[in-house]
Amino acid sequence: MNYRIAWLGIICVLAGCDSLAPIETSSADKSKKSGASSSDEGSSIAHKEIAATPSRGESEEKLGSTKQGSLVSNHKPELRFLRAPKVEELALPDLRGSQAIWGATGRDRVGRMYFGIASYGVDDPSAYLLRLDPRSDRFEVLGEVNQELDKLKIRRQNPWPETQMKIHSKIMPASDGRVYFSTQDEHNEASDGSTNALFGGRLFGFQPDKKIWDCLLTTPESLIALAARDDLVVAQGYFGHVLYQYNVKTKKINKKELGTYKGHVSRNIFMDHRGHVYGIRARLASSQEAEGVYKLNGDRVRISLTELDTELREIHDWPLSDYEPSGDTGSHGITGFSEMLDGSIVFVTH
């Protein structure tokens, strides 16, 4: 997928941001509901703000002290929304051919943050794996994919040395303590889905403390997306939306092809707390089907979100409306997702 993004080199980190605290109903809000005037409301807010300022002899520590794990403060949470978050710019290392972070982010179980950087425009383009320790704001280059394949003595050499130019997937921990991610080549791929990239994809496990790379799987499809939870790691390859499931305990690999329309590729899959994985299926629709059906190049194409269980058996298939499909790699499918406190998952699409 030969597309570009304009920025690379700065990551913004929210440092000590309390402007995102939950909104709670204030006494001013209650007064307003009970018929208090707007002037009364303004007076109430001003009073609360002044009350949050330490009086003489009263320490800041008291106002921001913790008690049994809960923050105790005299000021109302809604006042936090009047303050801008504190943002710090962190410059990435200047790496050869570095181009963009295509959503390749994640963190390990102790909060260290990981980034995968794609490489273009140089000989032997190779993706980089970086780690940021929030305690020091220092980036650490953990390796270059092509070089790691050389160290493992598994790098293919025909018709030229193998290239894995992108880490596009999320970087996620599993129960064995490793973080997992996938890589991809793009040489000779056809955007209409007729030809996979020359060197396909790789699935890696990385040991965070020992800094050891393990290549667990090589696929003919470029591996663009990944989800992991407990013992299960699932990577998605294109073309075809092929899912590869790796069990970190049994080392068993399962495979399931969801199917897609020509060169359409969703950039993400996601997994719920049960280990069920969700991905996009695109196929030609029957004449009776109407929901989730789009007209593309004279074809009627049905788009759906498919749920698979821990054995990659299909559980459900929901047609999707307001989706932007295409017959090539220009449509991005699922572009983001987030798990909520109740276990539900919110996702957004192109």
Side-chain angles (χ1 to χ4, degrees):
M1 286 168 283
N2 192 17
Y3 47 89
R4 302 185 66 84
I5 191 165
W7 63 269
L8 174 68
I10 292 178
I11 289 180
C12 293
V13 176
L14 293 174
C17 173
D18 60 1
S19 64
L20 301 180
I23 299 177
E24 295 181 9
T25 303
S26 67
S27 58
D29 295 329
K30 293 176 182 177
S31 299
K32 187 175 181 181
K33 290 177 182 178
S34 62
S37 67
S38 58
S39 59
D40 292 337
E41 180 186 1
S43 174
S44 175
I45 291 178
H47 176 72
K48 294 295 182 183
E49 189 167 14
I50 293 170
T53 305
S55 61
R56 182 174 297 178
E58 184 180 19
S59 67
E60 293 279 359
E61 181 180 2
K62 181 179 179 182
L63 287 175
S65 63
T66 57
K67 184 176 181 180
Q68 296 180 348
S70 299
L71 184 65
V72 177
S73 177
N74 288 341
H75 69 272
K76 285 291 181 179
E78 69 270 14
L79 294 180
R80 295 181 176 186
F81 288 84
L82 304 179
R83 298 198 298 272
K86 301 169 187 176
V87 179
E88 181 180 357
E89 294 181 354
L90 303 177
L92 288 164
D94 185 15
L95 302 171
R96 189 182 72 92
S98 59
Q99 188 231 16
I101 298 172
W102 294 106
T105 60
R107 57 185 172 186
D108 59 26
R109 297 195 181 279
V110 296
R112 291 171 296 191
M113 303 165 69
Y114 292 78
F115 306 92
I117 300 181
S119 175
Y120 277 96
V122 294
D123 292 334
D124 193 28
S126 178
Y128 300 89
L129 181 66
L130 275 67
R131 181 166 65 192
L132 172 68
D133 189 337
R135 294 169 297 184
S136 65
D137 289 344
R138 184 177 67 88
F139 286 101
E140 180 180 7
V141 180
L142 299 171
E144 185 179 336
V145 180
N146 294 353
Q147 291 182 1
E148 295 300 325
L149 292 173
D150 281 333
K151 292 177 185 178
L152 294 169
K153 299 183 179 180
I154 59 174
R155 189 178 182 189
R156 292 164 285 183
Q157 300 295 323
N158 186 27
W160 57 73
E162 177 180 357
T163 55
Q164 293 288 321
M165 60 183 62
K166 277 186 180 179
I167 299 174
H168 198 305
S169 74
K170 296 301 180 187
I171 304 165
M172 307 185 76
S175 62
D176 61 352
R178 292 192 290 190
V179 293
Y180 289 84
F181 59 94
S182 63
T183 67
Q184 62 181 89
D185 181 35
E186 289 190 346
H187 282 109
N188 299 345
E189 76 173 26
S191 64
D192 64 359
S194 59
T195 305
N196 282 323
L198 178 61
F199 293 112
R202 300 269 195 173
L203 175 63
F204 287 95
F206 177 79
Q207 298 181 46
D209 296 326
K210 296 181 180 180
K211 301 179 185 178
I212 296 175
W213 292 56
D214 298 301
C215 182
L216 308 167
L217 181 65
T218 303
T219 64
E221 302 87 8
S222 296
L223 295 178
I224 193 170
L226 180 140
R229 194 144 194 168
D230 299 328
D231 298 339
L232 298 178
V233 179
V234 179
Q236 175 186 271
Y238 72 89
F239 296 102
H241 283 182
V242 182
L243 301 182
Y244 292 91
Q245 181 197 68
Y246 174 74
N247 188 306
V248 305
K249 286 187 175 178
T250 66
K251 315 303 180 188
K252 180 182 177 183
I253 293 175
N254 285 338
K255 178 182 176 182
K256 171 77 172 184
E257 183 170 355
L258 291 179
T260 191
Y261 175 72
K262 297 185 176 179
H264 174 61
V265 184
S266 174
R267 277 18 177 215
N268 283 286
I269 57 176
F270 52 85
M271 189 181 294
D272 68 19
H273 65 280
R274 302 167 297 173
H276 289 200
V277 66
Y278 300 76
I280 294 295
R281 170 183 285 144
R283 62 167 174 79
L284 294 177
S286 69
S287 58
Q288 291 78 31
E289 291 177 311
E291 192 175 2
V293 175
Y294 305 81
K295 292 183 179 180
L296 290 172
N297 307 316
D299 293 328
R300 298 177 71 253
V301 179
R302 182 180 183 270
I303 302 292
S304 59
L305 181 73
T306 305
E307 176 187 357
L308 306 171
D309 69 9
T310 56
E311 299 297 324
L312 294 187
R313 295 174 298 211
E314 187 169 327
I315 300 296
H316 206 96
D317 186 74
W318 296 275
L320 292 181
S321 301
D322 297 323
Y323 191 91
E324 180 74 16
S326 69
D328 57 30
T329 57
S331 179
H332 294 187
I334 298 173
T335 53
F337 60 91
S338 181
E339 184 172 353
M340 311 303 284
L341 289 175
D342 65 356
S344 62
I345 298 172
V346 176
F347 67 101
V348 292
T349 64
H350 184 163

